[in-house]
Amino acid sequence: MSRPALEVADIFRDHGPAWRQVHASHVGLDQLKVMLAIERCRTAALGGHVARCEDCAYTTIAYNSCRNRHCPKCQGAAAKQWLAAREADLLPVPYYHVVFTLPAAIADIAYQNKSVVYDLLFKVSAETMLTIAADPKHLGVRIGITSVLHTWGSAMTHHPHVHMIVPGGGISIDGERWLSCRLGFFLSVRVLSRLFRRLFLQKLIAAHQAGRLSFFGDHAPLTACRAFTAYLRPLRKVEWVVYAKRPFGGPEAVLAYLSRYTHRVAIANSRLIAVNERGVTFKWKDYRIEGRDRYKPMTLATDEFIRRFLIHVLPKGLHRIRHYGLFAKGACADNIARARELLTVAKSEAQSTTADDPSKPTCPCCGGRMIIIEVFERGATPRHQPTAPASAIRIDTS
């Protein structure tokens, strides 16, 4: 894959030092670490190795990745590894995509309390799904859920929401049957929305009473219980957005979707268009418009672009991919085996295909095996330099 003409790393390297100097008093340590990791990713600063083809002697230099979960360049490989593990867990049933979104007023609270509110978003949305699915009036089953947290909109504004991938059915409460949902319909979004709203507000108030929430700036008065209660009161009367998309076409479509969503960051390098004295121009999607016209260019001042990117740095230790119900860790393997048994899936059909091992690269010139002939430390210059036919010499930064 060719390197994009413009990367977030380029913007950080060119404008990051000045931005950090201006905002030194209120930029977090986690954000500084992310900036530094992205700036150094796949450069000599992190070291690397030299690989040579056994057949044609093509030689290339590969610099180490930062492996930071917010780095646009590092998420492709991480997604492939994660998907390879998930592929074996897929069931031969339709899968549904459900999205739980926090109202803007709650998103404002989340902005100042990311660890607490993001955790609540995960847990409450999962509890909502598990509760309604287990209700005999709806499905009366135990379901499995894979949840992925996104905190951004297409323009990199703060927009916390959870994407869920859910099989269209589950194991009956007595564990004796697999019960499928109606064709094209999983669960009522209105019912999900109202339970989600009630449970979330209950748990948010409990977190406030326990002193787990902090407020600053215009929201400082919300520290008082009465002010906080008044702030939440209008939210009890509005509909909270829960969105269910039509089922995927099959397991392959589920994997294709997951590959786009699980390890996504606030903006991909492929969306960047230009950076100049006016700022950073990138592609964004206007969801209010249908068709091709919804894809538009947007230009932000460089300082604002960096600020928007960094507001999506997750708190340390917060997992952005979680599994619930049948897919919860510990019992996942047993639950999937039982589901397959109930679905009468032959073992041979359930096994995943073995993907190519990305750790064993091949020569781009002749397809031969590449072997590592040198490993160099951070900041060092490799002794071996690229040696290949003129048409093939390159430094590998992909």
Side-chain angles (χ1 to χ4, degrees):
M1 183 180 294
S2 61
R3 180 181 183 272
L6 178 62
E7 297 181 346
V8 172
D10 299 324
I11 298 170
F12 281 5
R13 281 193 286 265
D14 293 342
H15 302 276
W19 188 91
R20 288 191 288 269
Q21 184 174 3
V22 171
H23 300 277
S25 60
H26 53 270
V27 62
L29 179 60
D30 289 341
Q31 294 173 320
L32 291 175
K33 288 181 177 179
V34 169
M35 288 190 76
L36 181 61
I38 292 175
E39 290 173 18
R40 301 172 71 185
C41 185
R42 300 187 191 179
T43 68
L46 294 184
H49 66 266
V50 181
R52 177 172 294 167
C53 177
E54 287 185 316
D55 298 331
C56 71
Y58 169 85
T59 303
T60 183
I61 299 175
Y63 295 116
N64 292 334
S65 301
C66 68
R67 298 186 180 181
N68 190 286
R69 61 176 171 170
H70 302 93
C71 176
K73 281 190 289 193
C74 288
Q75 296 312 297
K80 288 180 181 178
Q81 295 172 359
W82 188 86
L83 286 171
R86 300 285 77 74
E87 185 179 4
D89 297 339
L90 285 175
L91 298 172
V93 298
Y95 277 74
Y96 288 78
H97 174 201
V98 183
V99 184
F100 286 81
T101 302
L102 291 179
I106 302 296
D108 290 344
I109 296 174
Y111 188 83
Q112 298 181 350
N113 299 274
K114 293 181 179 179
S115 292
V116 175
V117 180
Y118 291 169
D119 188 59
L120 281 181
L121 174 56
F122 266 122
K123 292 178 178 178
V124 174
S125 58
E127 181 180 350
T128 299
M129 290 286 287
L130 295 171
T131 300
I132 299 302
D135 189 336
K137 292 186 295 184
H138 296 281
L139 280 178
V141 299
R142 294 184 295 128
I143 61 172
I145 301 170
T146 295
S147 296
V148 183
L149 173 68
H150 284 185
T151 63
W152 56 84
S154 185
M156 293 200 299
T157 51
H158 188 237
H159 179 64
H161 55 285
V162 160
H163 294 266
M164 289 183 172
I165 305 299
V166 190
I171 298 177
S172 61
I173 303 302
D174 61 12
E176 297 300 319
R177 294 171 296 160
W178 175 273
L179 299 176
S180 298
C181 63
R182 287 186 295 172
L183 184 63
F185 180 84
F186 185 53
L187 294 170
S188 167
V189 292
R190 174 170 290 188
V191 173
L192 291 172
S193 173
R194 292 182 178 178
L195 181 58
F196 176 58
R197 177 180 63 188
R198 178 170 63 82
L199 291 177
F200 195 97
L201 290 176
Q202 284 179 355
K203 294 182 185 297
L204 188 65
I205 290 172
H208 185 275
Q209 293 173 344
R212 298 174 58 207
L213 300 180
S214 301
F215 300 98
F216 310 96
D218 293 341
H219 287 82
L222 296 183
T223 303
C225 290
R226 182 173 296 181
F228 189 68
T229 301
Y231 181 84
L232 297 182
R233 189 174 296 119
L235 296 173
R236 299 181 184 276
K237 301 176 182 178
V238 299
E239 293 292 336
W240 288 32
V241 177
V242 177
Y243 177 59
K245 292 187 177 180
R246 64 180 184 274
F248 295 98
E252 296 79 9
V254 177
L255 287 177
Y257 172 84
L258 286 173
S259 68
R260 295 196 305 270
Y261 274 80
T262 52
H263 292 72
R264 183 177 287 184
V265 297
I267 188 168
N269 288 326
S270 59
R271 290 175 54 198
L272 299 176
I273 298 174
V275 58
N276 50 39
E277 66 280 356
R278 294 177 57 239
V280 180
T281 303
F282 59 94
K283 292 177 288 186
W284 73 292
K285 185 189 298 185
D286 188 344
Y287 288 95
R288 298 168 298 181
I289 301 174
E290 295 295 333
R292 290 186 175 182
D293 291 340
R294 68 185 343 192
Y295 297 96
K296 305 176 181 179
M298 174 180 289
T299 300
L300 296 176
T302 305
D303 278 14
E304 174 63 10
F305 176 88
I306 295 175
R307 185 195 73 84
R308 290 197 189 186
F309 185 94
L310 293 178
I311 64 176
H312 304 293
V313 171
L314 296 177
K316 185 177 180 180
L318 182 76
H319 296 283
R320 66 178 178 188
I321 305 174
R322 302 187 186 184
H323 308 280
Y324 297 94
L326 299 179
F327 298 159
K329 288 185 178 180
C332 179
D334 291 339
N335 288 332
I336 289 176
R338 179 56 177 162
R340 286 186 175 138
E341 180 183 351
L342 297 173
L343 287 163
T344 64
V345 179
K347 184 177 181 180
S348 60
E349 294 177 359
Q351 292 175 339
S352 62
T353 57
T354 302
D356 293 335
D357 187 350
S359 65
K360 298 180 179 179
T362 57
C363 175
C365 298
C366 68
R369 186 167 72 102
M370 300 289 288
I371 58 173
I372 296 175
I373 61 173
E374 178 188 352
V375 175
F376 53 95
E377 300 297 326
R378 298 186 176 199
T381 301
R383 298 190 309 274
H384 298 83
Q385 294 299 312
T387 55
S391 60
I393 294 179
R394 67 187 180 93
I395 290 183
D396 185 1
T397 60
S398 63

